[in-house]
Amino acid sequence: MKTQTYHLKITLITPLLGSQSTRAVATEFIAKKNGFELSEAEAEMLPDALERGTTVFHRNQADQPCMMNYQILGFLKASAQVQNGRVTGGVKALRSKVANQVFISPLVLPLKLPEGGMLDYCERPLRAETAMGPRVALVRSEQAPAGTVIECGLEVMEGEITEDVIRDLLDYGYFRGLGQWRGSGAYGCFRYELTRED
């Protein structure tokens, strides 16, 4: 199987919100409710309870905030769904091709905060229309500042997913970024550098 490898450097232009539950919520509620258990390694990557309702970033062994490779792939698949048939070369069934032909490494992607930057918190109301009427809850998330850098490798199977297609997909990150509230345009938006590796 022939592949092309790239180095991707993402630089946030807006803050990024953590989207993971704390360890207690993830292991005792979400996983069990859905009929599975988190592995010990996965559970260790989540911080202990902070304040109720707080979403967080994963942590690596050095206790650095991190994203996971599947979050970058998820962004690329979402971008592919929106741009199906509209990217360079008019590639169709783009989301499926990205899901099956693009690989992100490593699994754990540390967030490199800008010099003097630190994690903060973003609190905001969350509104929902329920069967019992409108409801409002307060949501609190860890927040990485603009200027934070995320780096990873992309390995792409030879075929219709060319460098130009990858760039078209990544360009969408300027408008709709990563993490929670990415669709607002106020969180997770980024610029990128993509370097082909031979």
Side-chain angles (χ1 to χ4, degrees):
M1 171 173 71
K2 285 185 131 184
T3 61
Q4 177 59 58
T5 305
Y6 302 91
H7 178 263
L8 173 62
K9 178 181 178 183
I10 290 172
T11 304
L12 297 173
I13 56 175
T14 60
L16 173 67
L17 299 179
S19 58
Q20 303 304 309
S21 301
T22 56
R23 186 179 311 175
V25 173
T27 57
E28 294 173 19
F29 179 71
I30 297 172
K32 286 183 182 174
K33 182 179 178 188
N34 291 300
F36 68 91
E37 287 189 28
L38 289 179
S39 71
E40 192 174 312
E42 289 173 305
E44 285 178 9
M45 290 182 67
L46 295 171
D48 290 323
L50 298 172
E51 189 174 305
R52 185 175 177 205
T54 300
T55 57
V56 297
F57 293 105
H58 285 95
R59 297 294 198 276
N60 63 13
Q61 292 178 338
D63 201 36
Q64 285 179 286
C66 301
M67 289 192 74
M68 305 300 283
N69 66 350
Y70 56 77
Q71 293 174 291
I72 304 297
L73 184 59
F75 163 78
L76 290 172
K77 292 191 309 187
S79 179
Q81 184 171 351
V82 170
Q83 299 188 71
N84 186 43
R86 298 184 204 155
V87 294
T88 304
V91 182
K92 300 282 188 186
L94 185 55
R95 186 180 194 283
S96 174
K97 288 175 181 161
V98 166
N100 293 309
Q101 298 174 18
V102 177
F103 308 94
I104 312 292
S105 62
L107 173 64
V108 180
L109 310 172
L111 300 180
K112 298 173 184 169
L113 303 179
E115 188 173 333
M118 51 194 299
L119 292 182
D120 197 2
Y121 292 94
C122 173
E123 291 183 347
R124 63 221 182 266
L126 182 64
R127 294 176 182 85
E129 290 294 330
T130 70
M132 298 184 338
R135 297 284 184 252
V136 178
L138 186 63
V139 181
R140 183 175 192 253
S141 300
E142 283 188 321
Q143 175 178 276
T148 297
V149 171
I150 306 161
E151 295 186 76
C152 62
L154 271 73
E155 194 156 347
V156 182
M157 291 174 63
E158 194 174 70
E160 293 180 273
I161 308 296
T162 63
E163 182 175 339
D164 287 337
V165 171
I166 294 291
R167 287 183 183 281
D168 288 343
L169 296 174
L170 289 167
D171 286 345
Y172 190 56
Y174 178 79
F175 303 102
R176 190 175 192 111
L178 303 163
Q180 284 195 76
W181 263 22
R182 60 191 171 271
S184 70
Y187 294 95
C189 297
F190 62 86
R191 293 285 192 196
Y192 70 91
E193 295 172 30
L194 185 67
T195 308
R196 187 181 180 108
E197 296 182 340
D198 294 320

